[in-house]
Amino acid sequence: MSLIQPRTLKGFRDLMPDQAMRRARLLRIVEDVFLAHGYGPIDSPILEYAEVIKGKSGGETNKELFEFTDKGGRAVALRNDLTVPLARYVAQHEGKLVFPFRRYHIGLVYRGERPQRGRAREFLQCDADLIGATGTAADAEALVTMAAVYEALDVGPITLRVNDRRVLNGLLDTFGARDKAVPVLRALDKREKLGDEVVRTEMTAAGLEAEAIERVLEACTPREDNDATLAALEVAVGDNELGRAGIEGLRAVQALFIASGRRPEALRFDPSIARGLDYYTGVVVEAQLDALPDIGSVGAGGRYDDLAGLYTKSTLPGVGFSIGITRLMDALEALGQEATAQSPSAVMITHPGEAALEPAFAFAAALRTEGIASEVYPQPKKHGQQMRYADRRGVPYVFTRNDDGSWHGKRMADGETGTFPDHAAAAAWIHAN
Amino acid sequence: MSLIQPRTLKGFRDLMPDQAMRRARLLRIVEDVFLAHGYGPIDSPILEYAEVIKGKSGGETNKELFEFTDKGGRAVALRNDLTVPLARYVAQHEGKLVFPFRRYHIGLVYRGERPQRGRAREFLQCDADLIGATGTAADAEALVTMAAVYEALDVGPITLRVNDRRVLNGLLDTFGARDKAVPVLRALDKREKLGDEVVRTEMTAAGLEAEAIERVLEACTPREDNDATLAALEVAVGDNELGRAGIEGLRAVQALFIASGRRPEALRFDPSIARGLDYYTGVVVEAQLDALPDIGSVGAGGRYDDLAGLYTKSTLPGVGFSIGITRLMDALEALGQEATAQSPSAVMITHPGEAALEPAFAFAAALRTEGIASEVYPQPKKHGQQMRYADRRGVPYVFTRNDDGSWHGKRMADGETGTFPDHAAAAAWIHAN
């Protein structure tokens, strides 16, 4: 019989044991921070009605979408984000949920046939949102939780670049150009990469006067500190109410961020931040690692006015953010943080043959009660082969039983050894390191 | 604009916040036990080449499979278990993995269009396997880990019903009927439900003599204790080598199970257990809850000779098991264990308005450093409405700031209150309960 080639689809990939262990550890830390801030989990199917995922019943195709007709004749699709499923979920269970509704959701999403080479078609999204609340507390909480996540992950100092959509909208109001917000934002979004000239050309094409363009560029420049940035924005928006509300919002959020004990420097007002042109309506945020600004944002979010308008008549405003788990995995690698070993075990126990397994199993079980992950080498092999196995899997300690019933321990990193009368002594040695 | 009906596909369901929280807690406990026993995670795509999932390149359709042609023209399918993807993974990465290879995998699998009403078409599978090892240590470790999982989950006493395929095969050998193992097993599998007469009829149809049938039925009956069961099997297989090897295996596994400190009564030899007729070749196991035997098995597994023969020329024997997370969720409900609250927060902090948010945020942050999950009520509302919100979400403690800067705490369960000068005093009160 000919073999089937073992392979994955283009854009889909396996996680090797060390990568999977690292991701599991990151996710657990992220979840712990979410839970500590009052966000609980939900779950929803990966496969949904295509009309739900597409946000319309029409037949328009979306090249990125994995869609098909199931064996019951239904038009179905793999979800391509967690926001649309959240909107559907909240609309469907509106009567059973308690609002303001906080949730986090860690789940796979699918985007196919994208032009970029090597991009993942299956990836893990990690979102936290608070639905049904407006105001400073809700906005601040999102930023506080985000900053707490990165702090817990131990990826070095980060910066949350924060803006409020109302500021630019208010500014555009002052010269009657509010309707040009989207093209103006789109132009501003390119500023960092392409420079002011390109932005001026685009804004002119959008119908903005030269003087207005200069006022926008002048206002939308981050200053030496947050106070200076807000002062410049205050001058720019004058007494426009919307603009002032945006500035007041930023100021209040900053106070709560600091009150929560987060690093004040981690919050930086940056009027050039746009994010999700049609979606966000208030505060917006983009997270970057100070050590690796070039890898791009490792998280983002903001406030929106109407989450689920396609599925319910209720208006549900919210604020939320995504943590970029894949980017963070890449960042840890780029920062040279050692990948974890293939094995979660702290201890491997060797044995000279099946007749000697009982004390080995008892020793492993006893070490586990001390919080030490332990495994017994799983088959009868020569001692050298057992030692090499522990080494290759990266197990840090190996124990072998002596004839008198005591245990010989070896620390693999430096070859240090010791003799221990029982598991308690062995555990104390390990814990002391 | 008309609304899109917010609904999930038949057989697919959302997890509500309390269900999702319970499942997340269960999964974390399961993962901790796996890790403590040396099993690390891996991950693999939910979508694969259809030929990989089907184990053949032919066009034969599988009614249960979600399969389709993607936009690149590839025949693809959603995986319907985690065993085939494991086989493909191990074959594909054989050179990079260290064998014996231990892994756990928690992931979604898909089975559609099944005749049973109300069955889930998307469900979470939770598997642990040790690949590339044979012998007693490997077999025992699977049973030890399984028992440790249920013990950690706190679902009451369980029984692992354990058998070894070699015993029945050896017994059939003694009267030259080894080739009838599959129909005989299939018949035995129905014994508990349908009784001996049905089994006799089926075995006769399979070509077994009347005397042989009685010997099989007599041997395959669990006795008052494991010693008696093994003794009866020893008589039945006589000096057949395969049968004796199976019995010796069971005896050795039992010794290691007890040496590991697991409850001896949790392991019960049951020669009527079949499981996976064509797949398993040695030890087989089925877990049931002593309090709820009728809900069926809450986990199962066994030893197999050749995991990945479709994808590689290497012969990879292994032993593994699945934990039935969905059944366990149902069981906890049936056992009357309270579903967890909608909120993960232990504390909610009220506030009289946006101007009073700073101390509230500082208090919440300080409680979190004491390991107490805390949230600030997220918008300006009346005090009564804030209290009702905490109550509906099931938050156990609510704190409100007094004018003098101290904190008024209320325990929601019994209405007990207290006044606390700072977060440390409040945390001590909470931890004392």
Side-chain angles (χ1 to χ4, degrees), chain A residues 14 23 88 100 136 354 389, chain B residues 14 88 93 100 136 354 389:
Chain A
D14 292 328
R23 195 178 74 179
R88 195 269 307 148
T136 303
E354 299 226 331
Y389 176 76
Chain B
D14 292 327
R88 194 268 307 149
H93 307 296
T136 303
E354 300 225 332
Y389 176 76

Side-chain angles (χ1 to χ4, degrees), chain A residues 4 14-15 23 28 32 36 38 43 46 55 62 65 71 88-89 93 100 122 136 310 345 354 368 374 389, chain B residues 4 14-15 23 28 32 36 38 43 46 55 62 65 71 88-89 93 100 122 136 310 345 354 374 389:
Chain A
I4 297 166
D14 292 328
L15 284 190
R23 195 178 74 179
R28 189 174 280 210
D32 280 340
D43 200 21
I46 280 178
N62 174 338
L65 212 58
K71 284 170 183 164
R88 195 269 307 148
Y89 181 100
H93 306 296
E122 174 182 69
T136 303
L310 290 171
S345 292
E354 299 226 331
R368 288 179 200 124
S374 302
Y389 176 76
Chain B
I4 297 166
D14 292 327
L15 284 190
R23 195 179 74 179
R28 191 175 279 211
D32 280 340
D43 200 20
I46 281 178
N62 174 338
L65 212 58
K71 284 171 183 164
R88 194 268 307 149
Y89 180 101
H93 307 296
E122 175 183 66
T136 303
L310 290 171
S345 292
E354 300 225 332
S374 301
Y389 176 76

Side-chain angles (χ1 to χ4, degrees), chain A residues 358 361-362 365, chain B residues 136 139-148 151 158-160 162 226 250-269 285:
Chain A
E358 278 182 52
F361 268 64
Chain B
T136 303
D139 291 352
E141 181 198 87
L143 301 185
V144 166
T145 308
M146 250 183 124
E151 217 169 277
I158 56 119
T159 299
L160 300 183
V162 174
N226 286 343
L250 290 174
R251 207 186 302 277
V253 157
Q254 176 174 245
L256 296 178
F257 190 84
I258 293 168
S260 300
R262 306 268 68 98
R263 281 175 56 244
E265 317 80 58
L267 187 73
R268 182 167 151 243
F269 294 138
V285 54

Side-chain angles (χ1 to χ4, degrees), chain A residues 122-251:
Chain A
E122 174 182 69
F123 54 94
L124 201 66
Q125 196 112 333
C126 176
D127 287 8
D129 286 85
L130 170 55
I131 313 297
T134 53
T136 303
D139 291 352
E141 181 197 87
L143 301 185
V144 166
T145 308
M146 250 181 123
V149 165
Y150 298 109
E151 218 168 275
L153 286 175
D154 204 14
V155 286
I158 57 119
T159 299
L160 301 183
R161 299 167 74 185
V162 174
N163 192 12
D164 193 303
R165 278 295 180 76
R166 291 172 294 176
V167 178
L168 184 71
N169 285 339
L171 176 60
L172 292 174
D173 258 354
T174 63
F175 33 85
R178 173 79 178 278
D179 59 320
K180 303 187 173 65
V182 169
V184 166
L185 276 170
R186 190 171 294 133
L188 271 178
D189 212 26
K190 299 177 183 163
R191 193 179 188 187
E192 213 164 36
K193 265 195 193 155
L194 303 177
D196 285 0
E197 271 325 293
V198 173
V199 177
R200 282 192 184 95
T201 310
E202 284 209 14
M203 286 190 184
T204 307
L208 222 58
E209 306 284 339
E211 197 205 314
I213 291 174
E214 295 314 312
R215 275 183 60 196
V216 169
L217 286 178
E218 169 67 13
C220 293
T221 303
R223 314 282 156 164
E224 65 277 14
D225 63 33
N226 286 341
D227 286 345
T229 301
L230 292 189
L233 289 174
E234 269 173 341
V235 170
V237 304
D239 56 5
N240 175 278
E241 228 173 276
L242 187 66
R244 297 204 76 88
I247 293 166
E248 276 324 299
L250 289 175
R251 207 187 302 277

Side-chain angles (χ1 to χ4, degrees), chain B residues 76-281:
Chain B
V76 299
L78 296 174
R79 67 187 176 203
N80 55 356
D81 71 8
L82 298 180
T83 303
V84 166
L86 172 64
R88 194 268 307 149
Y89 180 101
V90 166
Q92 186 170 337
H93 307 296
E94 210 174 336
K96 276 186 278 183
L97 299 172
V98 183
F99 291 92
F101 172 57
R102 265 172 236 255
R103 78 91 175 83
Y104 77 84
H105 192 178
I106 297 175
L108 292 163
V109 304
Y110 297 82
R111 294 180 196 169
E113 303 303 327
R114 289 194 292 178
Q116 297 93 331
R117 294 170 77 91
R119 281 191 90 168
R121 291 178 175 174
E122 175 183 66
F123 55 95
L124 202 65
Q125 197 111 332
C126 176
D127 286 10
D129 286 85
L130 171 55
I131 313 296
T134 52
T136 303
D139 291 352
E141 181 198 87
L143 301 185
V144 166
T145 308
M146 250 183 124
V149 164
Y150 298 109
E151 217 169 277
L153 287 174
D154 204 14
V155 287
I158 56 119
T159 299
L160 300 183
R161 299 168 73 185
V162 174
N163 192 10
D164 194 302
R165 277 297 178 78
R166 291 172 294 177
V167 178
L168 184 70
N169 285 338
L171 176 59
L172 292 174
D173 258 354
T174 64
F175 33 85
R178 173 79 179 279
D179 59 320
K180 303 188 172 66
V182 169
V184 166
L185 276 170
R186 190 173 292 133
L188 271 179
D189 211 25
K190 299 177 183 163
R191 192 179 188 186
E192 212 165 37
K193 265 196 191 150
L194 302 177
D196 285 1
E197 272 323 297
V198 172
V199 176
R200 282 193 184 95
T201 310
E202 285 208 13
M203 287 191 184
T204 307
L208 224 56
E209 305 284 337
E211 197 205 315
I213 292 174
E214 295 314 313
R215 274 182 61 195
V216 169
L217 286 178
E218 170 66 13
C220 293
T221 303
R223 314 283 155 162
E224 65 278 13
D225 62 33
N226 286 343
D227 287 346
T229 302
L230 292 189
L233 290 174
E234 270 175 340
V235 171
V237 303
D239 56 5
N240 176 278
E241 227 174 277
L242 187 66
R244 298 203 76 87
I247 293 166
E248 275 325 300
L250 290 174
R251 207 186 302 277
V253 157
Q254 176 174 245
L256 296 178
F257 190 84
I258 293 168
S260 300
R262 306 268 68 98
R263 281 175 56 244
E265 317 80 58
L267 187 73
R268 182 167 151 243
F269 294 138
D270 185 339
S272 70
I273 293 294
R275 301 236 48 104
L277 301 173
D278 300 324
Y279 184 58
Y280 292 121
T281 51

